[in-house]
């Protein structure tokens, strides 16, 4: 009977210690993380008076020569890529 009581007491003490350690660890890791702030980077100091529209246009892009794994050499070539209309604003 006394051995069973000692076993139950030891098991209870180990459970309490383990739970307390987990709680302490979770509090420590939560405080170690950086505080969450709202992201203001998209609207930071944009002067709408200095915005301009860049119209869509074709841009020439050079793709350099390359060699595949079989040793066949592929020459470089030009392609045209469409860049759509977008707004460009200067940040101050």
């Amino acid at each position: 009977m006394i051995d069973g009581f000692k076993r139950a007491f030891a098991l209870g003490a180990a459970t309490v210690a383990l739970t307390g350690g987990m709680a302490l660890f979770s509090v420590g890791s939560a405080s170690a993380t950086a505080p969450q702030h709202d992201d203001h980077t998209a609207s930071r100091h944009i002067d709408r008076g200095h915005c301009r529209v860049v119209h869509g246009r074709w841009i020439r892009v050079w793709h350099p020569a390359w060699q595949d794994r079989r040793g066949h050499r592929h020459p470089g070539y030009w392609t045209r890529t469409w860049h759509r209309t977008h707004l460009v604003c200067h940040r101050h």
Side-chain angles (χ1 to χ4, degrees):
M1 172 104 169
I2 292 183
D3 289 335
F5 178 73
K6 287 180 181 177
R7 186 178 310 143
F9 182 74
L11 184 61
T15 304
V16 169
L18 188 61
T19 316
M22 287 176 38
L24 184 64
F25 176 73
S26 65
V27 169
S29 64
S31 65
T33 59
Q36 298 295 328
H37 298 290
D38 294 328
D39 186 21
H40 299 290
T41 56
S43 63
R44 181 181 43 192
H45 307 293
I46 293 179
D47 185 7
R48 295 286 180 192
H50 290 96
C51 293
R52 65 184 178 94
V53 175
V54 177
H55 297 286
R57 63 194 187 278
W58 290 97
I59 301 287
R60 289 183 49 170
V61 178
W62 173 251
H63 300 272
W66 60 284
Q67 187 172 0
D68 62 14
R69 61 183 166 189
R70 293 187 178 130
H72 184 263
R73 188 174 186 285
H74 300 271
Y77 58 96
W78 287 98
T79 59
R80 295 175 65 204
T81 305
W82 176 254
H83 288 258
R84 65 178 187 228
T85 302
H86 61 278
L87 191 64
V88 174
C89 298
H90 297 284
R91 293 184 179 188
H92 296 286

